[in-house]
CSV table of all heavy atoms in Angstrom, one decimal:
chain,number,residue,atom,x,y,z
A,1,MET,N,93.1,45.6,36.6
A,1,MET,CA,93.0,44.7,35.5
A,1,MET,C,91.8,45.0,34.6
A,1,MET,O,90.8,45.6,35.2
A,1,MET,CB,92.9,43.2,35.9
A,1,MET,CG,91.5,43.0,36.5
A,1,MET,SD,91.3,41.2,36.9
A,1,MET,CE,89.6,41.2,37.4
A,2,TYR,N,91.8,44.7,33.5
A,2,TYR,CA,90.7,44.9,32.5
A,2,TYR,C,89.6,43.7,32.7
A,2,TYR,O,90.0,42.6,32.7
A,2,TYR,CB,91.0,45.0,31.0
A,2,TYR,CG,91.5,46.3,30.6
A,2,TYR,CD1,92.8,46.6,30.3
A,2,TYR,CD2,90.6,47.5,30.8
A,2,TYR,CE1,93.3,47.9,30.0
A,2,TYR,CE2,91.2,48.7,30.5
A,2,TYR,CZ,92.5,49.0,30.1
A,2,TYR,OH,92.9,50.2,29.8
A,3,VAL,N,88.5,44.1,33.0
A,3,VAL,CA,87.3,43.2,33.1
A,3,VAL,C,86.8,43.0,31.6
A,3,VAL,O,86.6,41.8,31.2
A,3,VAL,CB,86.3,43.7,34.0
A,3,VAL,CG1,85.0,42.8,33.8
A,3,VAL,CG2,86.7,43.7,35.4
A,4,CYS,N,86.7,44.1,30.8
A,4,CYS,CA,86.2,44.1,29.5
A,4,CYS,C,87.1,44.6,28.6
A,4,CYS,O,87.4,45.8,28.6
A,4,CYS,CB,84.8,44.8,29.6
A,4,CYS,SG,84.1,45.0,27.8
A,5,VAL,N,87.7,43.7,27.8
A,5,VAL,CA,88.8,44.1,26.8
A,5,VAL,C,88.1,45.0,25.7
A,5,VAL,O,88.7,46.0,25.3
A,5,VAL,CB,89.6,42.9,26.3
A,5,VAL,CG1,90.5,43.3,25.3
A,5,VAL,CG2,90.3,42.2,27.4
A,6,CYS,N,87.0,44.5,25.2
A,6,CYS,CA,86.4,45.3,24.1
A,6,CYS,C,86.2,46.7,24.3
A,6,CYS,O,86.4,47.6,23.5
A,6,CYS,CB,85.0,44.7,23.7
A,6,CYS,SG,85.0,43.0,23.2
A,7,ASN,N,85.8,47.0,25.7
A,7,ASN,CA,85.4,48.4,25.9
A,7,ASN,C,86.4,49.1,26.9
A,7,ASN,O,86.1,50.1,27.4
A,7,ASN,CB,84.0,48.6,26.4
A,7,ASN,CG,83.0,48.1,25.4
A,7,ASN,OD1,83.0,48.5,24.2
A,7,ASN,ND2,82.1,47.1,25.7
A,8,SER,N,87.5,48.4,27.2
A,8,SER,CA,88.5,48.9,28.1
A,8,SER,C,87.9,49.3,29.5
A,8,SER,O,88.1,50.4,30.0
A,8,SER,CB,89.2,50.2,27.5
A,8,SER,OG,89.8,49.8,26.2
A,9,VAL,N,87.2,48.4,30.0
A,9,VAL,CA,86.5,48.7,31.3
A,9,VAL,C,87.4,47.9,32.4
A,9,VAL,O,87.4,46.7,32.3
A,9,VAL,CB,85.1,48.3,31.4
A,9,VAL,CG1,84.4,48.6,32.7
A,9,VAL,CG2,84.3,49.0,30.3
A,10,SER,N,87.9,48.6,33.4
A,10,SER,CA,88.6,47.9,34.4
A,10,SER,C,87.8,47.5,35.6
A,10,SER,O,86.6,48.0,35.8
A,10,SER,CB,89.8,49.0,34.9
A,10,SER,OG,89.2,50.0,35.5
A,11,ASP,N,88.3,46.7,36.4
A,11,ASP,CA,87.6,46.4,37.8
A,11,ASP,C,87.4,47.6,38.5
A,11,ASP,O,86.3,47.8,39.2
A,11,ASP,CB,88.3,45.2,38.5
A,11,ASP,CG,89.7,45.6,38.9
A,11,ASP,OD1,90.4,46.4,38.3
A,11,ASP,OD2,90.0,45.2,40.0
A,12,LYS,N,88.3,48.6,38.5
A,12,LYS,CA,88.2,49.7,39.2
A,12,LYS,C,87.1,50.7,38.7
A,12,LYS,O,86.3,51.2,39.5
A,12,LYS,CB,89.5,50.6,38.9
A,12,LYS,CG,90.1,51.2,40.2
A,12,LYS,CD,91.4,51.9,39.9
A,12,LYS,CE,92.1,52.3,41.1
A,12,LYS,NZ,93.3,53.0,40.8
A,13,ALA,N,86.8,50.6,37.4
A,13,ALA,CA,85.7,51.4,36.7
A,13,ALA,C,84.4,50.6,37.1
A,13,ALA,O,83.4,51.4,37.4
A,13,ALA,CB,85.8,51.3,35.3
A,14,VAL,N,84.3,49.4,37.3
A,14,VAL,CA,83.1,48.7,37.8
A,14,VAL,C,82.8,49.1,39.3
A,14,VAL,O,81.7,49.3,39.5
A,14,VAL,CB,83.2,47.1,37.6
A,14,VAL,CG1,82.2,46.5,38.2
A,14,VAL,CG2,83.4,46.8,36.2
A,15,ARG,N,83.9,49.0,40.0
A,15,ARG,CA,83.7,49.5,41.4
A,15,ARG,C,83.3,50.9,41.6
A,15,ARG,O,82.4,51.2,42.4
A,15,ARG,CB,85.0,49.2,42.2
A,15,ARG,CG,85.3,47.7,42.4
A,15,ARG,CD,86.6,47.5,43.2
A,15,ARG,NE,86.8,46.0,43.2
A,15,ARG,CZ,86.2,45.1,44.0
A,15,ARG,NH1,85.4,45.7,45.0
A,15,ARG,NH2,86.4,43.8,44.0
A,16,LYS,N,83.7,51.7,40.8
A,16,LYS,CA,83.4,53.2,40.7
A,16,LYS,C,82.0,53.3,40.4
A,16,LYS,O,81.2,54.1,41.0
A,16,LYS,CB,84.3,54.0,39.8
A,16,LYS,CG,84.2,55.4,40.0
A,16,LYS,CD,85.3,56.1,39.1
A,16,LYS,CE,85.0,57.6,39.2
A,16,LYS,NZ,85.7,58.3,38.1
A,17,ALA,N,81.5,52.6,39.4
A,17,ALA,CA,80.0,52.7,39.0
A,17,ALA,C,79.2,52.2,40.1
A,17,ALA,O,78.1,52.7,40.3
A,17,ALA,CB,79.8,51.8,37.7
A,18,VAL,N,79.6,51.1,40.9
A,18,VAL,CA,78.8,50.7,42.0
A,18,VAL,C,78.7,51.8,43.0
A,18,VAL,O,77.8,52.1,43.7
A,18,VAL,CB,79.3,49.4,42.5
A,18,VAL,CG1,78.7,49.0,43.9
A,18,VAL,CG2,79.1,48.2,41.5
A,19,ALA,N,79.9,52.3,43.2
A,19,ALA,CA,80.0,53.5,44.3
A,19,ALA,C,79.0,54.5,43.9
A,19,ALA,O,78.5,55.3,44.7
A,19,ALA,CB,81.4,53.9,44.5
A,20,ASN,N,78.9,54.8,42.6
A,20,ASN,CA,78.0,55.9,42.1
A,20,ASN,C,76.6,55.4,41.9
A,20,ASN,O,75.7,56.1,41.3
A,20,ASN,CB,78.5,56.3,40.8
A,20,ASN,CG,79.8,57.1,41.0
A,20,ASN,OD1,80.1,57.8,42.0
A,20,ASN,ND2,80.7,57.2,39.8
A,21,GLY,N,76.3,54.2,42.4
A,21,GLY,CA,74.8,53.8,42.5
A,21,GLY,C,74.4,52.6,41.6
A,21,GLY,O,73.2,52.3,41.6
A,22,ALA,N,75.2,52.1,40.7
A,22,ALA,CA,74.9,51.0,40.0
A,22,ALA,C,74.5,49.7,40.8
A,22,ALA,O,75.3,49.5,41.7
A,22,ALA,CB,75.9,50.6,38.8
A,23,ARG,N,73.2,49.2,40.7
A,23,ARG,CA,73.0,48.1,41.5
A,23,ARG,C,72.5,46.9,40.7
A,23,ARG,O,72.1,45.9,41.4
A,23,ARG,CB,71.6,48.6,42.4
A,23,ARG,CG,72.2,49.4,43.6
A,23,ARG,CD,73.1,48.6,44.5
A,23,ARG,NE,73.6,49.4,45.5
A,23,ARG,CZ,74.7,50.2,45.4
A,23,ARG,NH1,75.4,50.2,44.3
A,23,ARG,NH2,75.3,50.9,46.3
A,24,ASN,N,72.5,46.9,39.4
A,24,ASN,CA,72.3,45.7,38.6
A,24,ASN,C,73.0,45.9,37.4
A,24,ASN,O,73.7,46.9,37.1
A,24,ASN,CB,70.8,45.5,38.4
A,24,ASN,CG,70.1,46.8,37.7
A,24,ASN,OD1,70.7,47.2,36.7
A,24,ASN,ND2,69.1,47.3,38.2
A,25,PHE,N,73.0,44.8,36.5
A,25,PHE,CA,73.9,44.7,35.4
A,25,PHE,C,73.5,45.7,34.3
A,25,PHE,O,74.5,46.2,33.7
A,25,PHE,CB,73.9,43.3,34.8
A,25,PHE,CG,75.2,43.0,34.1
A,25,PHE,CD1,76.5,43.0,34.5
A,25,PHE,CD2,75.1,43.0,32.7
A,25,PHE,CE1,77.6,42.8,33.9
A,25,PHE,CE2,76.3,42.9,31.9
A,25,PHE,CZ,77.6,42.7,32.5
A,26,ILE,N,72.3,45.9,34.2
A,26,ILE,CA,71.9,47.0,33.1
A,26,ILE,C,72.4,48.3,33.5
A,26,ILE,O,72.9,49.1,32.7
A,26,ILE,CB,70.3,47.1,33.1
A,26,ILE,CG1,69.8,45.6,32.9
A,26,ILE,CG2,69.8,48.0,32.2
A,26,ILE,CD1,69.3,45.4,31.5
A,27,GLU,N,72.3,48.7,34.8
A,27,GLU,CA,72.8,50.0,35.3
A,27,GLU,C,74.3,50.0,35.1
A,27,GLU,O,74.8,51.1,34.7
A,27,GLU,CB,72.5,50.3,36.7
A,27,GLU,CG,71.0,50.5,36.8
A,27,GLU,CD,70.5,50.6,38.4
A,27,GLU,OE1,71.3,50.4,39.4
A,27,GLU,OE2,69.4,50.9,38.5
A,28,LEU,N,75.0,48.9,35.4
A,28,LEU,CA,76.4,48.7,35.2
A,28,LEU,C,76.8,49.0,33.7
A,28,LEU,O,77.8,49.8,33.4
A,28,LEU,CB,77.0,47.5,35.7
A,28,LEU,CG,78.5,47.3,35.8
A,28,LEU,CD1,79.1,48.3,36.8
A,28,LEU,CD2,78.9,45.9,35.9
A,29,GLN,N,76.0,48.3,32.8
A,29,GLN,CA,76.3,48.5,31.4
A,29,GLN,C,76.2,50.0,31.0
A,29,GLN,O,76.8,50.5,30.3
A,29,GLN,CB,75.4,47.7,30.6
A,29,GLN,CG,75.9,46.2,30.6
A,29,GLN,CD,75.1,45.3,29.6
A,29,GLN,OE1,73.8,45.4,29.7
A,29,GLN,NE2,75.6,44.5,28.9
A,30,GLN,N,75.0,50.6,31.5
A,30,GLN,CA,74.8,52.0,31.1
A,30,GLN,C,75.9,53.0,31.6
A,30,GLN,O,76.3,53.8,30.8
A,30,GLN,CB,73.4,52.5,31.7
A,30,GLN,CG,72.3,51.9,30.9
A,30,GLN,CD,70.9,51.9,31.6
A,30,GLN,OE1,70.8,52.4,32.8
A,30,GLN,NE2,69.9,51.7,30.9
A,31,ALA,N,76.5,52.6,32.8
A,31,ALA,CA,77.5,53.5,33.3
A,31,ALA,C,78.8,53.3,32.7
A,31,ALA,O,79.6,54.2,32.6
A,31,ALA,CB,77.7,53.2,34.9
A,32,THR,N,79.2,52.0,32.3
A,32,THR,CA,80.5,51.7,31.9
A,32,THR,C,80.7,51.2,30.5
A,32,THR,O,81.7,51.2,29.9
A,32,THR,CB,81.1,50.6,32.7
A,32,THR,OG1,80.5,49.4,32.6
A,32,THR,CG2,81.1,51.0,34.2
A,33,GLY,N,79.6,50.6,29.9
A,33,GLY,CA,79.6,50.0,28.6
A,33,GLY,C,80.2,48.5,28.6
A,33,GLY,O,80.3,47.9,27.6
A,34,VAL,N,80.3,48.1,29.9
A,34,VAL,CA,80.9,46.8,30.0
A,34,VAL,C,79.9,45.6,29.4
A,34,VAL,O,78.6,45.8,29.5
A,34,VAL,CB,81.2,46.4,31.5
A,34,VAL,CG1,79.8,46.3,32.3
A,34,VAL,CG2,82.2,45.2,31.7
A,35,GLY,N,80.5,44.7,28.6
A,35,GLY,CA,79.8,43.6,28.2
A,35,GLY,C,78.8,43.9,27.0
A,35,GLY,O,78.0,43.1,26.7
A,36,THR,N,79.0,45.0,26.4
A,36,THR,CA,78.1,45.4,25.2
A,36,THR,C,78.6,45.0,23.9
A,36,THR,O,78.1,45.4,22.9
A,36,THR,CB,77.8,46.9,25.3
A,36,THR,OG1,79.1,47.6,25.2
A,36,THR,CG2,77.0,47.3,26.5
A,37,CYS,N,79.8,44.4,23.9
A,37,CYS,CA,80.3,44.0,22.5
A,37,CYS,C,80.3,42.4,22.3
A,37,CYS,O,79.3,41.9,22.0
A,37,CYS,CB,81.7,44.6,22.4
A,37,CYS,SG,82.4,44.4,20.7
A,38,CYS,N,81.4,41.7,22.7
A,38,CYS,CA,81.4,40.3,22.4
A,38,CYS,C,80.6,39.5,23.5
A,38,CYS,O,80.1,38.4,23.4
A,38,CYS,CB,82.8,39.8,22.4
A,38,CYS,SG,83.6,39.8,24.0
A,39,GLY,N,80.5,40.0,24.7
A,39,GLY,CA,79.8,39.5,25.9
A,39,GLY,C,80.5,38.5,26.7
A,39,GLY,O,80.0,38.0,27.7
A,40,LYS,N,81.9,38.3,26.3
A,40,LYS,CA,82.6,37.3,27.1
A,40,LYS,C,82.8,37.7,28.5
A,40,LYS,O,83.2,36.8,29.3
A,40,LYS,CB,83.9,37.1,26.3
A,40,LYS,CG,83.8,36.0,25.2
A,40,LYS,CD,85.1,35.8,24.5
A,40,LYS,CE,85.0,35.1,23.2
A,40,LYS,NZ,86.2,35.2,22.4
A,41,CYS,N,82.9,38.9,28.7
A,41,CYS,CA,83.3,39.4,30.1
A,41,CYS,C,82.0,39.5,31.1
A,41,CYS,O,82.2,39.8,32.2
A,41,CYS,CB,83.8,40.9,30.0
A,41,CYS,SG,82.6,42.0,29.2
A,42,VAL,N,80.8,39.3,30.6
A,42,VAL,CA,79.6,39.4,31.4
A,42,VAL,C,79.7,38.7,32.8
A,42,VAL,O,79.5,39.4,33.8
A,42,VAL,CB,78.4,39.0,30.7
A,42,VAL,CG1,77.1,38.9,31.5
A,42,VAL,CG2,78.2,39.9,29.5
A,43,GLY,N,80.1,37.4,32.8
A,43,GLY,CA,80.2,36.7,34.0
A,43,GLY,C,81.2,37.3,35.0
A,43,GLY,O,80.8,37.4,36.2
A,44,CYS,N,82.4,37.6,34.6
A,44,CYS,CA,83.3,38.2,35.4
A,44,CYS,C,82.9,39.5,35.8
A,44,CYS,O,83.0,39.9,37.0
A,44,CYS,CB,84.6,38.3,34.7
A,44,CYS,SG,86.0,39.1,35.4
A,45,ALA,N,82.4,40.4,35.0
A,45,ALA,CA,82.0,41.7,35.4
A,45,ALA,C,80.8,41.7,36.3
A,45,ALA,O,80.9,42.4,37.3
A,45,ALA,CB,81.4,42.5,34.1
A,46,ARG,N,80.0,40.8,36.3
A,46,ARG,CA,78.9,40.6,37.3
A,46,ARG,C,79.4,40.3,38.6
A,46,ARG,O,78.9,40.7,39.6
A,46,ARG,CB,77.9,39.4,36.8
A,46,ARG,CG,76.5,39.5,37.4
A,46,ARG,CD,75.7,38.3,36.9
A,46,ARG,NE,75.4,38.3,35.5
A,46,ARG,CZ,74.4,39.0,35.0
A,46,ARG,NH1,73.5,39.6,35.8
A,46,ARG,NH2,74.1,38.9,33.7
A,47,GLU,N,80.4,39.3,38.7
A,47,GLU,CA,81.1,38.9,39.9
A,47,GLU,C,81.7,40.1,40.5
A,47,GLU,O,81.6,40.3,41.8
A,47,GLU,CB,82.1,37.9,39.7
A,47,GLU,CG,81.7,36.5,39.9
A,47,GLU,CD,82.8,35.4,39.6
A,47,GLU,OE1,83.8,35.6,40.0
A,47,GLU,OE2,82.3,34.4,39.0
A,48,VAL,N,82.4,40.9,39.8
A,48,VAL,CA,83.1,42.1,40.3
A,48,VAL,C,82.0,43.0,40.9
A,48,VAL,O,82.2,43.6,42.0
A,48,VAL,CB,84.0,42.8,39.2
A,48,VAL,CG1,84.6,44.1,39.9
A,48,VAL,CG2,85.1,41.9,38.9
A,49,MET,N,81.0,43.2,40.2
A,49,MET,CA,79.9,44.1,40.5
A,49,MET,C,79.2,43.6,41.8
A,49,MET,O,79.1,44.4,42.9
A,49,MET,CB,78.8,44.1,39.5
A,49,MET,CG,77.7,45.1,39.9
A,49,MET,SD,76.2,44.9,38.8
A,49,MET,CE,75.6,43.3,39.2
A,50,LEU,N,79.0,42.3,41.9
A,50,LEU,CA,78.4,41.7,43.2
A,50,LEU,C,79.3,41.9,44.4
A,50,LEU,O,78.9,42.2,45.5
A,50,LEU,CB,77.9,40.3,42.9
A,50,LEU,CG,76.8,40.1,41.9
A,50,LEU,CD1,76.5,38.6,41.6
A,50,LEU,CD2,75.5,40.9,42.4
A,51,ASP,N,80.5,41.6,44.1
A,51,ASP,CA,81.6,41.8,45.3
A,51,ASP,C,81.6,43.2,45.8
A,51,ASP,O,81.6,43.5,46.9
A,51,ASP,CB,83.0,41.6,44.7
A,51,ASP,CG,83.4,40.0,44.8
A,51,ASP,OD1,82.5,39.3,45.3
A,51,ASP,OD2,84.5,39.7,44.5
A,52,ALA,N,81.5,44.2,44.8
A,52,ALA,CA,81.6,45.7,45.1
A,52,ALA,C,80.4,46.0,46.0
A,52,ALA,O,80.4,46.7,46.9
A,52,ALA,CB,81.8,46.4,43.9
A,53,ILE,N,79.1,45.5,45.5
A,53,ILE,CA,77.9,45.7,46.2
A,53,ILE,C,77.9,45.1,47.7
A,53,ILE,O,77.5,45.9,48.6
A,53,ILE,CB,76.7,45.2,45.5
A,53,ILE,CG1,76.5,46.0,44.1
A,53,ILE,CG2,75.5,45.2,46.3
A,53,ILE,CD1,75.5,45.4,43.2
A,54,GLU,N,78.5,44.0,47.8
A,54,GLU,CA,78.6,43.3,49.1
A,54,GLU,C,79.4,44.1,50.0
A,54,GLU,O,79.2,44.2,51.3
A,54,GLU,CB,79.2,42.0,48.9
A,54,GLU,CG,78.1,40.8,49.1
A,54,GLU,CD,78.8,39.4,48.8
A,54,GLU,OE1,79.8,39.2,49.5
A,54,GLU,OE2,78.2,38.7,48.2
A,55,GLU,N,80.5,44.7,49.5
A,55,GLU,CA,81.5,45.4,50.3
A,55,GLU,C,81.1,46.8,50.8
A,55,GLU,O,81.6,47.4,51.6
A,55,GLU,CB,82.8,45.6,49.5
A,55,GLU,CG,83.6,44.3,49.5
A,55,GLU,CD,84.8,44.4,48.4
A,55,GLU,OE1,85.1,45.5,48.0
A,55,GLU,OE2,85.2,43.3,48.1
A,56,GLU,N,79.9,47.3,50.1
A,56,GLU,CA,79.4,48.6,50.4
A,56,GLU,C,78.9,48.6,52.0
A,56,GLU,O,78.3,47.7,52.5
A,56,GLU,CB,78.3,49.0,49.5
A,56,GLU,CG,78.9,49.3,48.2
A,56,GLU,CD,78.6,50.7,47.6
A,56,GLU,OE1,77.4,51.0,47.7
A,56,GLU,OE2,79.4,51.3,47.0
B,101,FES,FE1,83.5,42.8,27.3
B,101,FES,FE2,83.9,41.9,24.9
B,101,FES,S1,85.2,41.7,26.7
B,101,FES,S2,82.1,42.8,25.6
């Protein structure tokens, strides 16, 4: 599913960025571009990121 519609970032892409070392939202944004347009996805993207970090 898409987490960020504006930038076409999927939950898979967020998980991949975490697997590649993203550990906070700024790093996630730099890696994927998530949340850099309208910002509506930020809460959801953060949740997916935190889940992925927990699962590591
Ligand atoms: Fe992610 Fe708009 S949906 S910035």
Side-chain angles (χ1 to χ4, degrees):
M1 77 171 182
Y2 279 115
V3 171
C4 176
V5 176
C6 293
N7 297 310
S8 304
V9 181
S10 63
D11 61 325
K12 228 177 186 181
V14 170
R15 290 177 183 280
K16 192 172 169 193
V18 169
N20 288 333
R23 285 296 174 272
N24 58 52
F25 201 71
I26 305 261
E27 289 175 356
L28 186 68
Q29 281 185 314
Q30 286 167 348
T32 64
V34 71
T36 54
C37 190
C38 74
K40 281 184 187 162
C41 61
V42 169
C44 176
R46 199 185 295 271
E47 262 179 46
V48 174
M49 179 192 75
L50 292 175
D51 271 3
I53 290 172
E54 252 178 48
E55 285 166 15
E56 289 230 317

